[in-house]
């Protein structure tokens, strides 16, 4: 890993430690989720197959935290989708040449595929937001939009498409906004999650740059 990768990882660690000391609030679950999460996405940006190990830890804890925060869409997608997709992703990445030593061969979406992805995202967001309004979800539209984005982005990641990173960037921006509101409300575990997603946003930009290079190196377009 490069200097920027270590800056992201150590940044999350230091920010969480500083917050814990200053607030006298030692959130072990939030801390572990944040650290495993940033290591996961840093490795994913590198096309390293080990990201799925840390991803399994992070999505399990994040599902629990989201449920406690009434972000039910995010909780459900982590427990019922992200978690099993860690194993599907491991299988798919190994098929595309990823290993402990080698990065995978990334590929690009065609224009018709891009249009289809955008249409599915829009329709599913509206449907999910309407459903969430019947629960006690505090932010149904943001919850629905980020949930749909991460479902599609995870699928694109599993199939090694570069365009996943555009969705991750949008997802991370909206998720940062969501956790800021939870911090203001004093929701449990919200500060470590906000810190984590700020660094996720930084990493998603880095991931886009890295994967464009991987795609060019692999010269693959499906």
């Amino acid at each position: 890993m490069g200097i920027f990768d270590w800056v992201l990882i150590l940044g999350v660690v230091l920010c969480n430690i500083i917050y814990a000391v200053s607030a006298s609030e030692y959130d072990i679950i939030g801390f572990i989720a944040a650290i495993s999460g940033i290591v996961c996405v840093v490795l994913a940006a590198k096309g390293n197959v080990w990201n799925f190990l840390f991803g399994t830890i992070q999505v399990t804890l994040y599902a629990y935290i989201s449920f406690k925060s009434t972000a039910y869409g995010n909780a459900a997608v982590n427990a019922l989708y992200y978690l099993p997709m860690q194993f599907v992703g491991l299988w798919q990445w190994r098929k595309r040449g990823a290993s402990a030593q080698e990065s995978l061969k990334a590929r690009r979406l065609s224009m018709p595929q891009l249009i289809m992805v955008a249409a599915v995202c829009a329709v599913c967001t509206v449907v999910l937001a309407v459903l969430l309004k019947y629960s006690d979800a505090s932010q149904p539209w943001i919850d629905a939009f980020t949930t749909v984005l991460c479902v599609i982005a995870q699928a694109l990641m599993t199939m090694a498409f570069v365009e996943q990173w555009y969705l991750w960037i949008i997802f991370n921006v909206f998720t940062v906004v969501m956790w800021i509101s939870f911090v203001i409300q004093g929701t449990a575990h919200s500060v470590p999650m906000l810190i984590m997603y700020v660094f996720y946003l930084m990493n998603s930009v880095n991931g886009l740059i890295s994967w464009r290079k991987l795609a060019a190196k692999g010269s693959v377009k499906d």
Side-chain angles (χ1 to χ4, degrees):
M1 291 190 291
I3 295 177
F4 182 75
D5 303 315
W6 283 111
V7 167
L8 291 178
I9 294 172
L10 294 178
V12 171
V13 172
L14 290 176
C15 284
N16 276 277
I17 291 175
I18 291 172
Y19 167 72
V21 172
S22 62
S24 298
E25 181 179 324
Y26 302 98
D27 184 357
I28 302 300
I29 293 178
F31 182 77
I32 295 175
I35 301 307
S36 59
I38 194 63
V39 173
C40 170
V41 297
V42 165
L43 292 176
K46 293 296 183 183
N48 188 306
V49 74
W50 282 101
N51 81 88
F52 294 108
L53 171 62
F54 293 94
T56 299
I57 298 171
Q58 193 272 336
V59 298
T60 301
L61 296 178
Y62 188 66
Y64 169 75
I65 291 171
S66 295
F67 184 80
K68 286 189 64 178
S69 301
T70 71
Y72 298 126
N74 277 287
V77 78
N78 274 269
L80 304 178
Y81 178 70
Y82 265 7
L83 186 55
M85 284 295 279
Q86 301 305 306
F87 303 99
V88 176
L90 175 61
W91 169 56
Q92 285 291 318
W93 277 36
R94 289 183 66 85
K95 286 180 61 177
R96 297 196 61 78
S99 67
Q101 293 78 33
E102 297 291 333
S103 297
L104 86 166
K105 298 177 182 178
R107 50 184 174 172
R108 306 296 297 268
L109 289 172
S110 64
M111 184 55 66
Q113 289 173 325
L114 283 171
I115 295 173
M116 181 177 295
V117 167
V120 170
C121 183
V123 172
C124 290
T125 296
V126 173
V127 172
L128 183 56
V130 171
L131 293 174
L132 287 175
K133 282 188 175 182
Y134 290 98
S135 70
D136 62 341
S138 54
Q139 302 180 56
W141 282 99
I142 293 181
D143 196 3
F145 184 56
T146 55
T147 298
V148 171
L149 275 182
C150 69
V151 166
I152 297 176
Q154 180 66 42
L156 295 179
M157 175 187 173
T158 298
M159 295 181 286
F161 283 109
V162 174
E163 287 74 14
Q164 60 156 311
W165 292 105
Y166 293 106
L167 299 186
W168 286 128
I169 291 171
I170 299 172
F171 166 76
N172 288 326
V173 168
F174 275 86
T175 305
V176 164
V177 172
M178 182 180 73
W179 283 110
I180 286 175
S181 69
F182 284 139
V183 169
I184 294 173
Q185 296 170 27
T187 305
H189 311 295
S190 57
V191 172
M193 293 301 97
L194 175 59
I195 292 171
M196 182 178 72
Y197 274 100
V198 168
F199 281 92
Y200 273 16
L201 178 57
M202 296 168 60
N203 182 73
S204 58
V205 175
N206 181 55
L208 176 60
I209 296 171
S210 298
W211 275 54
R212 286 172 65 92
K213 293 177 182 178
L214 289 175
K217 180 180 178 181
S219 299
V220 177
K221 184 176 181 179
D222 299 305

